[in-house]
Amino acid sequence: MFRKYIFVFTVVFQICLSYSAVVKTKRVCVVGAGIAGISAARYLKEAGIDFTVYESTQYVGGTWRFDPRVGTDENGLPLHTSMYKTLRTNLPKPTMELKGFPLPEHLPSFPSWRDYYQYLQDYSKHFNILDHIKFLHNVLLIRRVGDVWRVKHQHVQTNETFEDEYDYIIIGNGHFSKPNMPNIPGEDRFKGKIIHSHDYKEPEPFRNRRVLIVGAGPSGMDIGLDVAEVSKTLVHSHHSKINFSTPFPPHYHKKPDIQEFNETGAIFKDGSYEEIDDVIYCTGFQYDIPFLDESSGLTLSPKSIVPLYRYMVNINQPSMILMGLIVRACLVVALDAQARYATALVKGNFTLPPHEEMMQEWQKRMNAIRSKGLPSSYIHILAEKEDQYYAELSEESGIQRVPPVMFKIRTQDMQAKLDNLYTYRNYVYTVIDDENFVRHEEEPAVRRGLTL
C-alpha cells in the first residue's frame, strides 16, 4: 500500500513538474517601450512570465518624450515622438494613471508632457522592468514559422542582426508616429512651408505669420490655439460637425475644406481665398506595422488593422496581441486593462473562444459600421462603448474591472472641451468611488506651477 502511494505521488509530482516547465517555457516578445510596452512588461513580470521588450531608442515613454529634432534620430531611424513643448495632457489625472501607481498629488489636473514623461520613467523603475528591455534594438521582421514566432531584430548602432523565437507577440509600438498627409492639389506650387503636426515643436516660428491649420481633431484644436497666441492670422480648415462654443480670438477664421493651393495661399471649397505663409496638417496618423508579413494573418492598411477580437487579439493568429489601436477612449486606462488581459491570456487564466466565434463578433461590428456608411477605420473606435468594453474584458479574463467612473469623467471632460477649449483644463476631477467623482476648479497657483 505504501509503495502504491509513493507511485501515485511520483506520478503527480512529475505531472506538476511537466506543467511548470510548460508555463516557464512560454516566451513573450513585446515590441515598444511606450505606455503599452511598459504596462505589458509590468504585468508579465509580476506573473513570472519570460519576456523581452524591444525598443529602437534608448528611452522608455514612447511619444511622451520630447525631441526638438524632426525627421530622424541620431541613429538614422524615424523619430516616433510627436510631442511639442507646450503640450499638456488632454485628459485629467485620474484617467491618465496606470493602475496602482498614482500621479504625484502636487501636479496640476492636466500635467505637462515633461511631468508625465517623468511619471513613465518612474513607473518603469518602480516595477523593475528596465532590465527586461533591449534598448536600441529595432524589430525588422516578425513571422510565423510552424508553432512559433520568429523575431528578427537589429542593434541600431552596431547593425548586428539577431533572430529569436517566441510563443506570444505583444505589439505596442503605437499609432501616432506615421503622419497621414492629405495630398491636396497644388501643394507643389505653394511657396510657403507645409509641415505635419508630427513635426510641430513650438509656436514661436509662426510669430506674426499667416498660418493655416488643417483638421479639427485633438491636435488640430490644441495646436491651433497654441499658434493663435503668436500668429498674425489663424485660418482653420476643417469639416467637423462639432459646434465648439469656444470664444476664438478675432484673428481666427474658420474655413471649409481646401479645394487647392496656389503659390501664395489656399482656395477653399466655398470659393473663398486666403493668403497663407505656413500650413500645419493636423490630419492624424496612419496605422503602421512594417515588420509584419502575410504570416501574421492580418489585413494591414493605413486606416485599419483587421480582424481583431476585443479590439486587440489577432483572430487568425491568437498568440499575437496588438495594444492601443483603439480610438476615443481613456487610452492610458485602456492600455493598462489590455496589458492585464494579455497577461491573463498568456498565463492561461482563460481560453479564447473558437476562431469562428471570434470572427462572428468582429464581423458583427464591421457590418454595423458598413450599414451606417462609415469607413472601416471606425472598427477601432470605442466612444460610447468604452465602459462596456472594460466590462467585457473583465468578464472574460477575470481581470479587475476598470471602474465606470473613468468613462464618466471622460464624458464630462468632453463636454467641458465643447464648452470652452481655453478653460477645460482648469477643472480637477476627484474620484469618490468606482461610480462617482466630483469636479471643481483648480487653484490658479497650481496652474501657474506647470513645468512645460
Side-chain angles (χ1 to χ4, degrees):
M1 189 65 142
F2 180 72
R3 288 182 178 178
K4 181 178 178 182
Y5 283 129
I6 290 293
F7 174 76
V8 172
F9 175 79
T10 302
V11 170
V12 171
F13 181 70
Q14 288 175 339
I15 292 174
C16 290
L17 281 179
S18 176
Y19 175 76
S20 177
V22 169
V23 172
K24 289 182 179 178
T25 55
K26 286 183 180 178
R27 297 192 66 208
V28 181
C29 165
V30 181
V31 182
I35 297 178
I38 62 176
S39 299
R42 171 217 174 154
Y43 292 113
L44 291 169
K45 185 176 187 295
E46 290 178 351
I49 295 168
D50 182 16
F51 71 96
T52 301
V53 181
Y54 294 105
E55 168 57 47
S56 63
T57 73
Q58 54 187 321
Y59 313 98
V60 298
T63 196
W64 285 95
R65 181 184 67 85
F66 173 78
D67 194 312
R69 299 168 295 184
V70 298
T72 57
D73 64 13
E74 66 277 13
N75 299 307
L77 292 178
L79 281 164
H80 291 290
T81 176
S82 299
M83 197 55 48
Y84 47 94
K85 277 187 178 180
T86 54
L87 186 139
R88 294 170 62 187
T89 66
N90 64 359
L91 285 172
K93 281 168 65 174
T95 63
M96 294 296 296
E97 291 179 342
L98 291 162
K99 187 175 174 60
F101 195 74
L103 279 155
E105 287 189 14
H106 72 273
L107 293 183
S109 183
F110 292 76
S112 69
W113 72 264
R114 189 184 303 275
D115 287 328
Y116 197 73
Y117 178 56
Q118 183 62 54
Y119 168 78
L120 297 178
Q121 291 176 298
D122 293 343
Y123 178 93
S124 302
K125 294 173 183 175
H126 179 80
F127 290 105
N128 299 312
I129 59 176
L130 294 175
D131 290 343
H132 291 267
I133 303 174
K134 283 187 177 291
F135 291 104
L136 298 173
H137 277 255
N138 185 38
V139 173
L140 302 177
L141 177 64
I142 296 178
R143 59 194 175 103
R144 188 72 173 171
V145 180
D147 60 352
V148 298
W149 293 102
R150 287 188 183 170
V151 178
K152 184 178 181 181
H153 52 102
Q154 183 179 51
H155 192 286
V156 300
Q157 293 179 336
T158 67
N159 291 328
E160 188 176 2
T161 301
F162 310 85
E163 188 167 81
D164 296 289
E165 293 185 350
Y166 293 92
D167 302 293
Y168 286 85
I169 301 291
I170 297 178
I171 297 176
N173 63 331
H175 58 99
F176 299 107
S177 60
K178 185 173 183 179
N180 179 53
M181 302 296 284
N183 190 24
I184 297 171
E187 284 179 351
D188 56 335
R189 290 187 287 134
F190 180 62
K191 296 184 182 301
K193 185 177 182 180
I194 298 177
I195 68 169
H196 189 273
S197 63
H198 176 64
D199 294 328
Y200 175 77
K201 300 299 177 181
E202 59 178 323
E204 192 56 36
F206 304 96
R207 182 171 293 278
N208 297 322
R209 295 178 69 80
R210 297 165 298 186
V211 184
L212 169 61
I213 301 288
V214 181
S219 63
M221 302 310 296
D222 205 44
I223 292 175
L225 295 184
D226 201 29
V227 172
E229 292 291 319
V230 300
S231 64
K232 178 182 178 181
T233 303
L234 198 290
V235 180
H236 196 175
S237 167
H238 67 85
H239 51 254
S240 173
K241 296 179 181 178
I242 297 174
N243 293 316
F244 293 100
S245 301
T246 300
F248 295 109
H251 64 291
Y252 173 98
H253 305 292
K254 181 185 177 303
K255 291 288 182 178
D257 288 345
I258 304 168
Q259 181 172 307
E260 64 176 320
F261 287 102
N262 62 20
E263 289 81 358
T264 58
I267 302 168
F268 300 91
K269 290 194 173 179
D270 63 355
S272 62
Y273 171 76
E274 293 282 344
E275 290 194 347
I276 300 295
D277 297 312
D278 305 289
V279 179
I280 305 176
Y281 284 146
C282 299
T283 46
F285 297 87
Q286 297 181 0
Y287 291 107
D288 183 40
I289 311 181
F291 47 80
L292 293 183
D293 67 7
E294 64 277 0
S295 68
S296 71
L298 291 169
T299 299
L300 308 170
S301 77
K303 295 294 185 180
S304 65
I305 299 176
V306 296
L308 300 177
Y309 174 70
R310 299 291 189 219
Y311 296 80
M312 62 187 293
V313 177
N314 178 351
I315 295 175
N316 291 324
Q317 295 286 359
S319 55
M320 175 180 284
I321 298 109
L322 298 92
M323 293 178 57
L325 301 185
I326 54 176
V327 181
R328 296 187 199 172
C330 300
L331 186 57
V332 174
V333 170
L335 284 171
D336 184 273
Q338 288 185 335
R340 289 183 286 124
Y341 179 97
T343 301
L345 177 61
V346 175
K347 196 175 180 182
N349 290 356
F350 72 101
T351 303
L352 291 169
H355 178 273
E356 295 77 11
E357 189 175 324
M358 290 192 290
M359 277 299 294
Q360 286 173 4
E361 186 267 352
W362 174 81
Q363 193 64 59
K364 182 179 179 182
R365 287 194 290 117
M366 182 59 83
N367 290 344
I369 289 168
R370 288 171 176 163
S371 68
K372 298 175 183 177
L374 299 171
S376 60
S377 59
Y378 274 64
I379 197 68
H380 297 293
I381 293 178
L382 279 181
E384 72 281 353
K385 299 188 293 288
E386 182 180 5
D387 188 58
Q388 176 188 343
Y389 177 63
Y390 299 142
E392 290 170 350
L393 290 184
S394 299
E395 183 179 356
E396 181 178 20
S397 67
I399 63 171
Q400 187 175 353
R401 191 197 195 290
V402 172
V405 68
M406 295 299 166
F407 175 66
K408 293 178 180 179
I409 289 176
R410 186 174 77 84
T411 301
Q412 184 153 1
D413 172 70
M414 286 172 59
Q415 184 57 52
K417 289 182 175 74
L418 294 176
D419 292 341
N420 194 326
L421 288 166
Y422 283 108
T423 62
Y424 79 89
R425 288 189 176 98
N426 295 347
Y427 294 106
V428 176
Y429 297 79
T430 303
V431 174
I432 303 301
D433 54 38
D434 286 355
E435 297 283 347
N436 302 289
F437 70 94
V438 294
R439 187 183 80 166
H440 66 273
E441 285 206 49
E442 192 166 56
E443 295 293 331
V446 177
R447 296 201 293 272
R448 286 197 297 271
L450 278 167
T451 54
L452 296 173

